[in-house]
Amino acid sequence: MIRSAPTPRELLEIAVTVARDAAATAHRMRAEGVSVAATKSTVTDVVTAADQAVERQVVDALRALRPDDAVFGEEYGAGPTGQAVEGGVRWVVDPIDGTVNYLYGLPYCAVSLAAEVDGEVVAGVVRNVATGEEWTATAGGGAWREGTRVRCSTETDLGQALVATGFGYDAGRRAHQARVVAELIPHVRDIRRMGAAALDLCLAAEGRVDAYYEKGLAAWDLAAGGLVAREAGLRVTGLSGKPAGPDLVIAAPPALFDPLHTRLAALDASGGP
Ligand code: LIP
């Protein structure tokens, strides 16, 4: 029997169920007390026991529901089935995006879970662990926050735009990113650095910031929030027509994209270490 590929809606329903259970675990573990379990790229790039436990929970839940799918996560990578078969589904998970916020008890961190089919994200959910705010999207199905359709900012003047961004963990990269934001800030309303890319993309999706950019995002930071942002009307790309990715992500409404892109290109926002 040939199994038909699941619809984006079917994949989203799985993603929401799994993400809600994962967020509940993260919330419980935070209440019980959190500490650093390990560090990764630098001493400030921390992992907590909750990051590890939540990703294991997500992987186990997905394998129970869809054992033939691939899963790719921040903490455990691709694992034995990290590559999807042709036409298959690959899940991309950040168990806790905004780990430093989570460690410090700041209410801005999220479970981010997306489903890819043939390399394209078709469904995604981002759920704030602390507040329970939940954004969802399916390819072509729009972006939503708890049943309400969300759409991006209609701001047309970069000088009136509230722009979110973030910084990496490497000191050399942070120095370059600081130079970029120092040159940008006189030309926008203001900057916000809130510490979780997936949530930044969702706030941009509903106009609670006007635009977002950042260098250094991994697939798990970008997958679900990027779909929410695109489905809300934002252009989500890299520099000079490149796809959004580790070199740079720019998420901006059509009227702001070109002026923001021009300034970021001139400031070498995708450059540096
Ligand atoms: C975080 C990103 C954020 C970035 C932080 C950090 P993590 O991901 O979501 O945009 O500015 O430095 O990389 O490490 O919390 O999963």
Side-chain angles (χ1 to χ4, degrees):
M1 177 186 77
I2 299 176
R3 289 175 58 185
S4 60
T7 66
R9 188 74 222 166
E10 289 167 339
L11 291 171
L12 181 63
E13 288 173 4
I14 292 169
V16 167
T17 299
V18 172
R20 287 177 179 172
D21 290 346
T25 298
H27 189 272
R28 173 180 54 77
M29 292 183 75
R30 184 70 193 77
E32 293 168 351
V34 172
S35 59
V36 175
T39 59
K40 296 187 288 189
S41 61
T42 70
V43 294
T44 56
D45 185 1
V46 296
V47 181
T48 71
D51 292 272
Q52 297 168 333
V54 168
E55 184 163 322
R56 284 195 302 268
Q57 176 179 329
V58 169
V59 170
D60 290 348
L62 292 171
R63 292 226 165 100
L65 291 167
R66 293 185 51 82
D68 297 333
D69 291 357
V71 184
F72 181 58
E74 176 170 10
E75 307 313 336
Y76 295 104
T81 60
Q83 296 305 321
V85 297
E86 186 176 346
V89 175
R90 182 176 85 150
W91 299 91
V92 182
V93 55
D94 189 339
I96 300 177
D97 186 37
T99 295
V100 173
N101 287 346
Y102 181 77
L103 181 66
Y104 279 74
L106 300 176
Y108 198 80
C109 45
V111 174
S112 174
L113 180 57
E116 292 178 346
V117 175
D118 289 334
E120 293 298 319
V121 178
V122 297
V125 56
V126 177
R127 187 175 177 88
N128 186 312
V129 169
T131 67
E133 291 172 292
E134 180 181 275
W135 292 265
T136 59
T138 54
W144 304 79
R145 175 160 64 87
E146 295 137 23
T148 300
R149 185 85 181 251
V150 298
R151 288 183 174 83
C152 64
S153 165
T154 56
E155 182 56 61
T156 60
D157 178 357
L158 186 63
Q160 296 298 311
L162 188 63
V163 178
T165 191
F167 308 121
Y169 292 111
D170 171 76
R173 171 169 292 182
R174 294 166 66 79
H176 180 78
Q177 291 172 315
R179 287 190 290 271
V180 171
V181 76
E183 291 296 324
L184 179 66
I185 200 167
H187 303 286
V188 298
R189 173 191 293 274
D190 206 345
I191 291 289
R192 291 290 183 271
R193 195 284 193 266
M194 296 176 283
L199 290 175
D200 292 344
L201 286 160
C202 290
L203 292 198
E206 59 177 315
R208 291 162 68 183
V209 295
D210 294 301
Y212 164 75
Y213 78 93
E214 186 165 356
K215 174 184 174 66
L217 295 195
W220 47 76
D221 295 313
L222 177 60
L227 179 64
V228 171
R230 281 194 300 276
E231 288 296 322
L234 291 149
R235 288 183 61 187
V236 182
T237 78
L239 274 187
S240 308
K242 294 178 183 173
D247 284 349
L248 196 65
V249 173
I250 305 174
L256 295 178
F257 184 88
D258 286 345
L260 180 59
H261 177 280
T262 298
R263 286 209 176 268
L264 291 175
L267 293 170
D268 191 26
S270 65

